[in-house]
Amino acid sequence: MFHRRVRHVTPGLMFYGLHRNFSSDTDDTDYEPGVEENEVSWKSGNHMFLSTRKKKKKQISSSSTDSTTDEEPVKRNQAEKRKVSTLNNRKSRVRRKIRRFGDIERYSQQMSDSSDSDFHPNPDGNSKPNRSKKKEKQLLEENPPLEVVEVVHPCPPSDQTWSILPSEILTKIFRYVCDGENKGVKYVCGCAQVCRHWNNTVVQPVSWRNADLAFMGGNENAKDCLLDELVKTKFRDLEHLSLSGWLYLTNVGIESIADHCSRLKSLNISHCQKKSIAKISGSSLVLLAEKCSLERINISNLRIPTVYAKSVINVIEIRRDKLTHLNFSGNIGLGSAVLTMIIKHCCELKSLDVSNTSVRSVSFSDFQDSCPKLEELYLANLFIEPKNSSKHSFCGFKQMVVCSVAKRGAMSWLTDSILVNMLQESKLLTILDMRGNSNISQKGLELSSDRLERLYMSKCSLNEIMIKTICERWNKTLWDVDFSWTDIYDSDFDDLIACLLTGHNVCTQIAHFDVSGTSISDSGVKIIVTVCRELRSLNLTSCRGVSRGIKRHHLGVKQINKLRQFSIIFISVFNNKK
C-alpha cells in the first residue's frame, strides 16, 4: 500500500490525502520484500506514478524471453495487456477521485496541528499552536504561504443582458432607429439575426411605425413581390411608408398596401417610374384613399398615363379635411382645378407644394381664409394670374414658416403688393425664397417677421436701401444669404458688402454666403472673411473681379481659414505696391 501524490488542475494549489486502495503486491509471483515500496518514479506524459519494482519486473521479463517456451510469450502478452488496462482504469479513477474529494475543506480536516513538535494547547480550549514570534518568522521565511488564485470566468453569466430585454423596450428602440436613420429598416432587419427573442420582436407588426425604403430605389429587388411580403408580415400596423425611387412599382404593390395597411397615414411614391410614364394608375390611388387613413401624400414627379387630375381630385374629395401635407410638384398634368379643390376641402392643410405644375390662377384671399394653418407654401416656377376676390381684406398666413415663390425667366407675376399681402401677418417666417423676381423692391421687404434666417435673392435687383432694410430687420438672425447673379446699376458690389457688414447693424452671424457671378473684388472678399467669424461656406465661382486661385466654392472651416490668410497677405502686398 502506498499513497499517491497528485497535482490539482488549479494553478498555485497542491492537495494531499487523496487515498485509494489498490491491490496488494504480495499477490505477484515475482514479489521481493527487499524492494522499497516508497521509491516511485514519474512517467512522463501520463501523470502516473509507477513503482521501481514494476519497472524491474518488466526488465526481468524481457531478459528471460529466450529461455521460455512458445506458449509463454502468448501468456505474457496477455498479462501485459491486462496490466495496461488496469493502469488506465486506475488513471481514470484517480481523476474521478480528484474531482470528487479534491477540496480545501477535506484537506483542512485531515491536516491537524497536533502532530507538530511545537504544539501546545491554549488554555481557552482552542487547539491553536502557541509559537514564539521568532519561530513564526523563520517558518514563514522557510515555507512562504501559498497564493490562492481565483479562477474567474472571462464572461461570467449575468442576468442583465440584451437578450432578456422586454419586447416593449425593444420595440421602442427599433422605432427610434427607423425614425432617425435613412437605412433604419436595414439595420432593424439585421438586429433580427442577433437572437431568437430579437427576431420574434422584429417580426411583430407593433415594432414598425415608420419604414423608409427609399435607399432601395433603383435596385432590382425593389419590386412588388418584396413589398407584398413585407406588408403581409411586418407592415400591417405601419403609419409612414416611403417608396421613393422604386422604378418597378406597379398597381399590384399599391393594391397590397391598400389591402393590408389600413393605419397608413403617410405615403411617399415620388419618382416611381423607370421611363417617361409610371406603371401606376389613378384607380390605385383612389383605392388607397378609400382603405387607408392617409394624411400625407407625396406623388411628386410621378407621371400617370390617363385621367391624372381627376384621380387626384377624387383623392382630395375622399380625404377632405384629414389631409395635412400634399406634394404634387413636378406633375404638369395637375392644373388649377386641383388647387381649387384643395382650397375648398383641405382646411387642416399645413404644407402644400405645387411647384412646376400647370396651375395658372389662384385667389390668395380665399386661400388664406380656407387654409389658416398653412406653414409651408411652395409656388416655384408658376405662371400665376392672381384672381380678384370679393373680399378686399387679406388676413395673411399667420402660421407661415417657409415661403418659396422662386421664378425662372424674365416674366414674373410676383409684385411688392402681392408679397406683402401674403406675408403681412406671418410673424413666424424663417425662410423666404424669391429668386428670379426682379420686380421686388424695398417695399416688398417690409414684412412683419423679425426672425428671418434664410434669404434667397438670386437674380434680383439690389441697392443700398434694400441692404439697409435687411440689416435693420434681421441682423441678429440671418445666417444664410444668397445674392448670386444680382444686377446692380447704381453702385459697386463691394459697397453693398460694406453696407451689409460694416456700420451699426451688422450681419455678423452669416455662415453661408453665395456671391457667385457677381462683380465682387478681393477687398469685398476680405470684408466678408474678417467680419463673418461664423463663416462656413463662401461661393466665389464666376466672380470676374476676384484674383485667380480663389474663384471657387470654399466649403468648410479649413478652406475658409486659408482664404483668410490669402486675402490678408495679398491685399497687404497690393497696397505696398501702390
Side-chain angles (χ1 to χ4, degrees), residues 530-541:
T530 53
V531 174
C532 301
R533 306 305 300 179
E534 301 294 331
L535 195 63
R536 297 293 180 271
S537 173
L538 180 60
N539 194 353
L540 298 175
T541 56

Side-chain angles (χ1 to χ4, degrees), residues 4 23 25 27-31 43 48 50 53-62 75-91:
R4 295 196 178 223
S23 58
D25 295 332
D27 298 336
D28 298 336
T29 56
D30 56 347
Y31 173 71
K43 184 177 180 182
M48 293 292 296
L50 298 177
R53 177 189 58 74
K54 290 186 178 182
K55 285 186 178 182
K56 189 173 181 180
K57 178 180 176 182
K58 289 181 181 180
Q59 292 176 1
I60 293 170
S61 62
S62 62
K75 295 181 179 179
R76 192 178 299 111
N77 292 330
Q78 294 177 358
E80 288 178 356
K81 290 180 180 178
R82 290 173 185 173
K83 290 179 182 179
V84 170
S85 62
T86 54
L87 288 174
N88 293 330
N89 293 332
R90 288 176 184 176
K91 179 179 177 181

Side-chain angles (χ1 to χ4, degrees), residues 529 550 552 554 556-569:
V529 170
I550 60 173
R552 56 188 178 86
H554 300 271
V557 179
K558 293 182 179 180
Q559 296 184 9
I560 296 298
N561 290 332
K562 290 181 180 179
L563 184 61
R564 284 194 182 100
Q565 296 175 1
F566 176 80
S567 61
I568 292 169
I569 295 170

Side-chain angles (χ1 to χ4, degrees), residues 218-235:
N219 193 352
E220 295 181 355
N221 296 324
K223 294 182 179 180
D224 296 331
C225 57
L226 176 61
L227 183 61
D228 186 43
E229 182 180 357
L230 292 173
V231 163
K232 290 179 180 179
T233 56
K234 298 181 179 66
F235 293 168

Side-chain angles (χ1 to χ4, degrees), residues 330-373:
N331 296 321
I332 303 174
L334 301 180
S336 301
V338 175
L339 186 58
T340 54
M341 291 299 296
I342 291 171
I343 292 172
K344 286 182 181 180
H345 301 292
C346 301
C347 59
E348 298 292 330
L349 195 65
K350 294 182 180 180
S351 177
L352 177 63
D353 190 355
V354 288
S355 302
N356 298 305
T357 59
S358 58
V359 175
R360 293 292 179 265
S361 62
V362 60
S363 176
F364 286 102
S365 60
D366 296 337
F367 195 9
Q368 292 171 2
D369 292 335
S370 60
C371 301
K373 298 182 180 180

